[in-house]
Amino acid sequence: MVSAGLPSIAALALVMVGLGLVGMTAGDLPGIADQLAAPRWLMGALGGVLVGAGWQASRTPAQVLLRRSPPWVELVGFAVAGIVLARLSDWTRHAGGATEAIAIGAGINAAARILFGIGLGIVLGYVAFQASQARQSDDKR
């Protein structure tokens, strides 16, 4: 039977993917935004929303009942925080090719790529597991 809620490992994976997206805006290395010709602020917003979704999914039912604002308001806040972090990462990149990127920016970018890859692997594994569970339950009928 397919579970109704999102397990904590899948929620953690969403947070990892989101942090990876935001982290890839730092440094000089090309990231997903450069490969897709997307603006870095968009990658920050998407990363922030993924972090917020993982954060919301990891809450207990009692915490959900005590929520003071609707879930979409929290997601907007996380998206804005992601955009701000993506804009702040401008300081870790080189200015017009005159200088190299700050070493910490390149380090953050490299670590974010690893974090993104691990998180994406967990998400894809969870989706494949749920699909196989659903197929097995359909075969039993």
Side-chain angles (χ1 to χ4, degrees):
M1 179 173 186
V2 179
S3 63
L6 192 64
S8 58
I9 189 69
L12 176 64
L14 284 175
V15 171
M16 290 171 67
V17 169
L19 289 175
L21 282 174
V22 172
M24 279 191 272
T25 62
D28 191 27
L29 300 173
I32 291 176
D34 291 338
Q35 294 170 0
L36 298 175
R40 290 182 186 262
W41 66 266
L42 183 60
M43 194 162 74
L46 180 60
V49 167
L50 287 172
V51 169
W55 178 268
Q56 288 178 352
S58 67
R59 289 189 172 160
T60 64
Q63 290 172 329
V64 171
L65 289 175
L66 296 175
R67 179 181 299 164
R68 294 183 182 180
S69 60
W72 69 268
V73 173
E74 287 182 359
L75 290 180
V76 168
F78 277 102
V80 168
I83 291 170
V84 168
L85 287 174
R87 293 302 299 162
L88 288 174
S89 72
D90 285 340
W91 291 334
T92 64
R93 291 191 297 277
H94 64 83
T99 59
E100 291 187 20
I102 297 175
I104 189 75
I108 290 171
N109 191 304
R113 288 169 180 268
I114 294 168
L115 192 65
F116 178 79
I118 292 170
L120 192 61
I122 293 170
V123 168
L124 292 176
Y126 175 73
V127 168
F129 172 75
Q130 288 299 320
S132 73
Q133 293 288 16
R135 193 172 333 134
Q136 286 177 0
S137 67
D138 286 345
D139 289 343
K140 291 180 182 177
R141 289 185 200 180

